[in-house]
Amino acid sequence: MARVFCNSVFLVIFIFLVRADLSQQLESSQTQALLRIQQLLNFPAVLSNWNNSTDFCNLEPDSSVTVVCYEGNMTQLHIIGKKGALLLPRNFSMSSLVTTLVKIPDLKVLTLVSLGLWGSIPGKIARLSSMEILNMSSNFLYGAMPQEISLLSGLRTLILDDNMLAGQLPDWLSMLPLLTVLSLKHNILNGSLPNSLSELENLRVLSLSHNHFDGELPDLSTLTNLQVLELEENAFGPQFPQLSNKLVTLRLSKNKFRSGIPAEVSSFYQLQHLDVSLNSLVGPLPPVLFSLPSLSYLNISGNKLTGMLFDNISCNDELEVVDLSSNLLTGSLPKCLLADTRNQVVLYPRNCFVTGDQQQNPVSFCRNEALAVGIVPQGKKRDQSHKVVLALSIVGGVVGAIALLGIVYLVVRRKDEKNTANKPPTNVVVENPSAGYTSKLLSDARYISQTMKFAPHGLSTYRVFSYEEIEDATNNFDSSAFMGEGSQGQIYRGQMKDGSFVAIRCLKMKRRYSTQNFAHHIDLISKLRHRHLVSALGHCFELYLEDSSVSRIFLIFEYVPSGILRSWISERHSRQSLTWTQRIAAAVGIAKGIQFLHTVAGVYSNNIKITDVLLDQNLVAKISSYNLPLMAESMAKVSRGISSSGSKDPSDDERTNQEALADIYDFGVILLEIIRGRALKSRNEINALREKLQEGISSDSVVRRSIVDPGVQNECLDQSLKTMMEVCVRCLLKDPVTRPSIEDVLWNLQFAAQVQDAWSGGEFRSSSEGSPVSPSQPKLSIC
């Protein structure tokens, strides 16, 4: 009996040990996967305690790291880095990261936020077959969303906010039947939304704010479970969307809605937050909005809503914020919004209310503005005879005006013909090309719509200038205002009436075009706004009187006060030289400007020289001369890649790539002068210096420092200098196809800036050779 008992005990112990060993093997494989993830993420501070002995399933969860296990298998992984995390090193690979995650087969929830992830999302993400919640926000992911995501049939939540994802919202999202949360805020997605979006019947949250979407929204009334809809800062419109009445949050601000608020909104009894501000909504404001039972936030500011309100309108007691500013509302502000006993924020200036103490316009202003947008006040019926009289009066007035203008025109033309026998007559007029835009032109310009996302802060809105303004600003084009002449016309310095300075470029047309020929190109120029470009503020057309064709175009640009970059590097007679850190910052700025021109605006062959780079009052680099889509020889180039169907012509890909690589070479020449600190005079000198830099890269730090400008030799970290040299050499390679892309250039320059800044902040120690080095940074290989 005792032997049987002992045998049973040994059997139980054996089975326990076998199970424990099996469990340990499984846990070990997942442990190794986590340690590999720690390595791929470049050992972030939030994972500093991870090692081979860590019991991951029993880690104390916190706001940065959480691991959840079930029956010895990991099911959830949450890693949240510090906000504003820098790019991971050059050797990081999204593909390797996903391959490692696949080794955790039961992973259902994955959160990787603010970790510096960069690259496109690989198609192999479909191998995470158990995935239900995926959140990779606040990183640097770019490119299109891969279709393989549609194979994650169990996916319920997809959050990719604050990245650089591009392209259109894909049709295949309808293949995710369980999807309840789709959040893609703060990306550069564009185009219209697919109709298939209305098939996601389980969708509860749809957040697409701060992108470049446009066009009509699909019918979303079928999404009966939708509770949160966030579409701010896009270009949706003009019709107000069709929505389900189960919404709790509705944010539509900063779009292009131009219809009225539909009556159906009065049935949105669960609505708590409504923001339709900064659109062009017209028609009467439904008073029922104030009494929606759940509403606590109401913002309709910046529209053209009309109607008379009365002080006896009832309000919901939950209302905390109400903003009625900048509309065309009349009557009395409801007493329920003026009660001092309630803790409310109520804004209502720039309307026409007769009550209240905030700035109001006269009632006549709102009535006239309402008529201007086609809103006829109710209650003012005229009989048929009055309509006939009014119509005849208008017709008679128009005919008389035309006759008078004809007589004036003949007299003026006859006088001009006598006075200008040899010079073609011109007439300076204020032209608004947007008034003549066709829907085709606007759709062709869609690919750079809403580039104000990249625009520098404080830049005034693009507008049409009058010739008189330009004459006054330049003192009638006085010689003292003349700044120079280049391939794209003469440039004058001007001072506007408000005291601000501008640069005015005068372009003389070699051929005669109508203003309509330039409408599309002016529209593109108005959107070429970036922190590292000298941006256009407006334009003015000068026309030939005889056929109204364009004689000259005046382009008004922001004025950049601190002169050209070369004078801060190679011509240091009267000012301090730029430091090494400032030089890297200037190089990064130029690269960002070129990247914007290539990837957002589609503008190539810019022929940028160091004398085309200006510095503003904060020493921020701005490209002043780039391939403006207005010159006769370049007008076809700008639009050649867009066919009538809106698709890119494959035959132009090779030529576009060659032009992009030519810009890379020009950037390399600028970078060479930044490093050397003196002007370059010939192509032979450039080639000789490129060879010298190549030798310096493979030599030691002493040789490299002997090449750089003596004024910054003692400032630059060796790793930073070496990276700059590597980028420069690659940009100057003779074979264009071997040169790096602008994205590759920019990444490496940013790396050089980061290591330089870290060293300046005391984070780097000195090597045995005396040059500062990073103790952990892997060597950089530029591909």
Side-chain angles (χ1 to χ4, degrees):
M1 184 68 179
R3 180 178 293 181
V4 172
F5 176 79
C6 290
N7 289 338
S8 299
V9 170
F10 284 127
L11 181 60
V12 170
I13 293 174
F14 176 77
I15 294 173
F16 175 81
L17 290 174
V18 170
R19 288 185 175 178
D21 186 62
L22 290 174
S23 175
Q24 182 62 35
Q25 286 181 359
L26 183 61
E27 182 180 342
S28 176
S29 66
Q30 296 187 21
T31 296
Q32 294 307 311
L34 286 174
L35 294 176
R36 173 60 176 160
I37 290 171
Q38 179 191 34
Q39 180 184 6
L40 290 170
L41 298 180
N42 199 32
F43 301 95
V46 294
L47 305 183
S48 58
N49 295 326
W50 283 13
N51 54 57
N52 282 307
S53 61
T54 301
D55 185 0
F56 289 102
C57 290
N58 291 305
L59 279 177
E60 188 68 27
D62 58 32
S63 59
S64 299
V65 181
T66 300
V67 177
V68 177
C69 300
Y70 179 73
E71 294 184 351
N73 294 314
M74 191 183 314
T75 58
Q76 297 187 32
L77 175 61
H78 304 263
I79 306 175
I80 301 175
K82 293 183 178 179
K83 187 176 182 181
L86 301 176
L87 283 163
L88 286 173
R90 180 72 175 135
N91 57 2
F92 170 75
S93 167
M94 274 297 297
S95 180
S96 297
L97 178 62
V98 173
T99 300
T100 305
L101 289 167
V102 170
K103 296 177 182 178
I104 310 175
D106 293 330
L107 194 62
K108 298 180 183 298
V109 180
L110 177 63
T111 300
L112 300 174
V113 173
S114 296
L115 296 172
L117 307 180
W118 62 269
S120 58
I121 303 174
K124 64 177 68 175
I125 198 169
R127 299 180 191 174
L128 300 173
S129 55
S130 300
M131 191 61 59
E132 295 181 3
I133 299 175
L134 178 61
N135 182 357
M136 292 194 290
S137 301
S138 300
N139 288 293
F140 302 91
L141 303 177
Y142 55 75
M145 297 168 58
Q147 186 170 356
E148 288 81 356
I149 291 179
S150 64
L151 300 177
L152 300 175
S153 57
L155 194 63
R156 298 176 181 271
T157 297
L158 179 60
I159 304 175
L160 298 171
D161 300 338
D162 293 290
N163 281 287
M164 299 183 291
L165 298 173
Q168 297 188 340
L169 196 67
D171 240 344
W172 48 255
L173 285 171
S174 60
M175 300 170 64
L176 299 172
L178 302 181
L179 197 64
T180 58
V181 176
L182 177 61
S183 187
L184 304 171
K185 296 183 292 187
H186 292 277
N187 282 282
I188 50 176
L189 297 163
N190 57 28
S192 57
L193 301 189
N195 290 326
S196 59
L197 200 63
S198 59
E199 300 173 19
L200 294 173
E201 56 184 23
N202 290 309
L203 201 62
R204 294 180 181 273
V205 176
L206 178 60
S207 186
L208 304 175
S209 304
H210 304 275
N211 277 284
H212 299 170
F213 292 118
D214 56 21
E216 295 283 1
L217 285 163
D219 185 353
L220 301 180
S221 61
T222 58
L223 302 181
T224 54
N225 291 307
L226 189 64
Q227 296 181 348
V228 176
L229 180 62
E230 297 175 327
L231 304 176
E232 308 106 303
E233 293 203 32
N234 283 285
F236 291 119
Q239 293 299 314
F240 201 91
Q242 296 176 277
L243 304 169
S244 164
N245 62 3
K246 301 293 181 63
L247 281 171
V248 175
T249 298
L250 177 59
R251 294 189 173 101
L252 303 177
S253 64
K254 297 182 182 179
N255 278 280
K256 295 184 178 180
F257 296 113
R258 298 195 298 272
S259 61
I261 298 178
E264 290 78 9
V265 176
S266 61
S267 66
F268 288 16
Y269 297 124
Q270 300 179 34
L271 192 62
Q272 298 177 10
H273 187 112
L274 175 60
D275 187 351
V276 294
S277 60
L278 301 173
N279 284 282
S280 299
L281 295 171
V282 299
L285 171 67
V288 71
L289 288 180
F290 299 111
S291 58
L292 286 177
S294 302
L295 197 65
S296 61
Y297 182 96
L298 173 63
N299 189 348
I300 63 166
S301 63
N303 286 288
K304 299 177 181 178
L305 294 167
T306 57
M308 179 175 289
L309 301 184
F310 300 95
D311 55 11
N312 60 353
I313 291 177
S314 62
C315 299
N316 162 33
D317 290 337
E318 301 296 323
L319 269 178
E320 297 177 356
V321 176
V322 178
D323 192 346
L324 312 178
S325 308
S326 301
N327 279 284
L328 305 175
L329 302 172
T330 58
S332 301
L333 195 72
K335 290 182 179 179
C336 58
L337 298 180
L338 292 174
D340 294 334
T341 58
R342 300 182 59 188
N343 186 21
Q344 282 183 323
V345 175
V346 180
L347 304 174
Y348 51 91
R350 296 178 296 280
N351 282 284
C352 298
F353 291 125
V354 296
T355 59
D357 57 0
Q358 299 184 21
Q359 179 186 0
Q360 300 297 312
N361 296 310
V363 175
S364 59
F365 172 84
C366 288
R367 289 176 178 169
N368 292 336
E369 289 293 312
L371 289 172
V373 295
I375 304 170
V376 180
Q378 297 179 355
K380 293 189 177 183
K381 299 181 180 178
R382 298 187 176 103
D383 56 32
Q384 193 67 25
S385 61
H386 286 170
K387 293 181 180 178
V388 172
V389 171
L390 178 60
L392 291 175
S393 300
I394 293 174
V395 172
V398 171
V399 171
I402 292 174
L404 180 60
L405 287 174
I407 294 171
V408 172
Y409 173 75
L410 291 175
V411 172
V412 172
R413 179 166 182 172
R414 184 169 299 174
K415 182 178 180 180
D416 286 343
E417 287 175 349
K418 292 180 179 179
N419 294 335
T420 57
N422 298 322
K423 181 181 177 182
T426 60
N427 182 26
V428 180
V429 297
V430 175
E431 286 288 337
N432 187 354
S434 62
Y437 288 173
T438 63
S439 59
K440 173 64 168 60
L441 286 174
L442 292 175
S443 65
D444 285 349
R446 182 181 300 163
Y447 73 102
I448 62 166
S449 65
Q450 292 194 6
T451 53
M452 288 304 294
K453 177 178 181 180
F454 302 96
H457 295 297
L459 201 62
S460 60
T461 305
Y462 188 95
R463 68 181 179 91
V464 180
F465 286 78
S466 68
Y467 184 74
E468 288 74 16
E469 286 181 282
I470 296 173
E471 271 193 323
D472 290 343
T474 59
N475 193 19
N476 198 21
F477 298 98
D478 188 80
S479 58
S480 61
F482 183 72
M483 296 174 63
E485 184 169 7
S487 60
Q488 296 188 343
Q490 297 176 328
I491 302 177
Y492 293 86
R493 180 176 182 264
Q495 185 174 16
M496 308 308 293
K497 288 185 177 179
D498 62 0
S500 62
F501 289 96
V502 295
I504 301 171
R505 178 171 292 166
C506 174
L507 306 179
K508 295 182 180 180
M509 294 297 105
K510 298 178 181 178
R511 296 173 55 187
R512 293 194 174 187
Y513 295 97
S514 68
T515 57
Q516 203 59 19
N517 291 110
F518 293 103
H520 178 49
H521 300 281
I522 286 290
D523 185 56
L524 301 189
I525 288 174
S526 70
K527 293 181 173 67
L528 289 175
R529 292 188 157 207
H530 189 275
R531 173 176 168 81
H532 296 291
L533 296 183
V534 178
S535 304
L537 305 178
H539 74 275
C540 173
F541 284 151
E542 182 183 42
L543 307 181
Y544 287 109
L545 187 60
E546 58 189 29
D547 59 2
S548 295
S549 62
V550 176
S551 167
R552 289 191 295 177
I553 299 176
F554 297 96
L555 291 176
I556 295 83
F557 290 87
E558 59 177 320
Y559 181 73
V560 184
S562 296
I564 63 174
L565 175 61
R566 170 174 283 176
S567 67
W568 287 83
I569 295 174
S570 307
E571 301 168 0
R572 303 188 295 270
H573 303 300
S574 59
R575 62 181 59 169
Q576 184 180 359
S577 171
L578 293 185
T579 66
W580 181 248
T581 300
Q582 290 171 329
R583 295 186 190 208
I584 300 177
V588 170
I590 300 166
K592 285 183 176 181
I594 295 174
Q595 183 190 40
F596 176 85
L597 290 171
H598 285 187
T599 61
V600 179
V603 176
Y604 304 91
S605 293
N606 292 288
N607 193 27
I608 301 171
K609 304 178 183 64
I610 195 168
T611 51
D612 296 324
V613 180
L614 306 180
L615 298 180
D616 70 5
Q617 64 275 15
N618 298 316
L619 300 183
V620 173
K622 292 176 176 285
I623 302 173
S624 66
S625 180
Y626 41 89
N627 189 11
L628 288 173
L630 266 181
M631 308 305 290
E633 58 271 18
S634 66
M635 286 177 66
K637 286 184 180 181
V638 175
S639 57
R640 70 178 177 219
I642 307 296
S643 67
S644 59
S645 63
S647 60
K648 187 172 175 63
D649 186 352
S651 64
D652 287 326
D653 285 346
E654 183 177 354
R655 179 165 48 180
T656 298
N657 188 50
Q658 291 293 323
E659 293 174 350
L661 294 174
D663 284 343
I664 296 297
Y665 182 89
D666 293 337
F667 176 77
V669 175
I670 296 173
L671 194 57
L672 183 59
E673 187 163 331
I674 289 175
I675 295 171
R676 288 286 290 168
R678 60 185 178 88
L680 306 174
K681 300 178 181 178
S682 68
R683 179 64 67 94
N684 289 336
E685 183 180 8
I686 292 171
N687 293 335
L689 287 174
R690 182 182 67 82
E691 296 298 330
K692 191 171 184 179
L693 259 62
Q694 182 67 66
E695 294 173 2
I697 292 170
S698 56
S699 301
D700 58 23
S701 61
V702 176
V703 175
R704 283 191 287 274
R705 289 179 186 279
S706 68
I707 299 173
V708 75
D709 181 359
V712 293
Q713 280 181 353
N714 297 324
E715 300 176 12
C716 52
L717 175 71
D718 184 58
Q719 179 65 69
S720 172
L721 173 59
K722 185 178 179 181
T723 302
M724 291 276 281
M725 287 182 171
E726 287 173 334
V727 174
C728 183
V729 168
R730 296 281 295 180
C731 291
L732 295 175
L733 290 174
K734 294 181 180 180
D735 185 359
V737 298
T738 61
R739 297 171 194 159
S741 66
I742 189 60
E743 288 77 18
D744 192 24
V745 167
L746 184 56
W747 190 96
N748 284 285
L749 291 177
Q750 288 174 328
F751 171 76
Q754 289 171 13
V755 296
Q756 180 70 28
D757 288 345
W759 174 55
S760 300
E763 297 182 13
F764 287 78
R765 60 180 174 84
S766 294
S767 71
S768 58
E769 297 177 357
S771 60
V773 296
S774 167
S776 59
Q777 177 63 43
K779 291 184 178 180
L780 185 66
S781 174
I782 303 180
C783 307

